[in-house]
Amino acid sequence: MEELQDIQGGLHQRISAYKIKLQELQKKRDRLEEEIKTIKKYLELAETLYNVEQEKARVAAKGSTLSDGDRDKGKTAVDVPDQSQEILLARSKYLGMSVPQAAFLLLRNAGTPMHAKEVYRKLAEGGVRIRGKTPVTSIAISLRRDKRFRKVAPNTFDLVEDTFTASGGNT
């Protein structure tokens, strides 16, 4: 009977160890999946920018064979990829940053308080992924907990003055 209890005790310890190891591996997998998503975004952005640059070079090469009158028409074609590049760069502005880091930069550049809903929209446009069913609430809670931010109205936040001036203001 005692031998059976020893076997059960040993098996219980193994089960506990396996559960702990499984949890650690699942956390590691989640971190790797997030890293993969980020790398995929960077890859997609780099490929798009590469294609934009190739198109610019193609248009420029084509423009060198055009007459002077046709070159003026070609200039607008070269301007279009530049606009695409600006849009693509804006979409990765906050990529890889935490919500408080990105919100700090956003509010510092805005120079004015912002509602959590607007912060969410701008951060999402800038590449920040916010999980959860209520991302606006998640942002509000995150900013409320960070000493760099102060609540100035319902779900509206601004930078604390000391933080703002210590980081160089909006110069």
Side-chain angles (χ1 to χ4, degrees):
M1 188 66 158
E2 192 175 310
E3 190 177 313
L4 182 61
Q5 287 177 341
D6 287 345
I7 291 171
Q8 285 177 336
L11 288 173
H12 180 69
Q13 286 178 341
R14 283 189 200 162
I15 290 170
S16 295
Y18 288 143
K19 284 182 179 180
I20 290 170
K21 184 65 175 177
L22 179 62
Q23 288 175 343
E24 290 172 359
L25 290 172
Q26 286 173 332
K27 286 179 184 177
K28 191 174 188 178
R29 182 188 65 201
D30 291 344
R31 285 192 305 268
L32 287 172
E33 286 175 354
E34 279 300 311
E35 191 173 342
I36 288 169
K37 285 180 188 176
T38 301
I39 295 298
K40 283 182 177 179
K41 285 181 184 179
Y42 280 128
L43 176 62
E44 181 182 333
L45 178 63
E47 287 174 338
T48 304
L49 289 174
Y50 176 79
N51 291 335
V52 165
E53 291 300 320
Q54 274 191 321
E55 181 65 18
K56 282 172 58 175
R58 188 185 64 75
V59 168
K62 188 176 180 182
S64 67
T65 61
L66 298 175
S67 66
D68 287 340
D70 290 337
R71 279 195 189 123
D72 292 336
K73 294 177 189 172
K75 281 185 182 179
T76 56
V78 174
D79 291 342
V80 172
D82 288 339
Q83 292 169 352
S84 300
Q85 191 171 8
E86 289 296 320
I87 292 168
L88 290 169
L89 290 175
R91 288 189 183 150
S92 64
K93 187 174 186 178
Y94 305 115
L95 197 63
M97 291 184 188
S98 69
V99 169
Q101 289 172 322
F104 178 81
L105 291 176
L106 175 65
L107 288 171
R108 186 177 70 188
N109 291 337
T112 183
M114 294 178 80
H115 191 275
K117 191 179 286 188
E118 181 69 8
V119 171
Y120 168 67
R121 189 178 65 74
K122 297 272 189 185
L123 294 186
E125 288 173 1
V128 174
R129 292 189 53 88
I130 300 162
R131 294 182 179 190
K133 294 181 181 178
T134 55
V136 174
T137 303
S138 298
I139 288 174
I141 291 169
S142 180
L143 298 185
R144 203 175 302 131
R145 291 179 178 166
D146 194 305
K147 294 177 183 178
R148 296 177 290 178
F149 304 97
R150 64 186 170 105
K151 187 174 175 181
V152 295
N155 281 343
T156 305
F157 297 89
D158 197 6
L159 294 176
V160 174
E161 291 300 319
D162 294 340
T163 306
F164 188 66
T165 54
S167 64
N170 53 351
T171 53

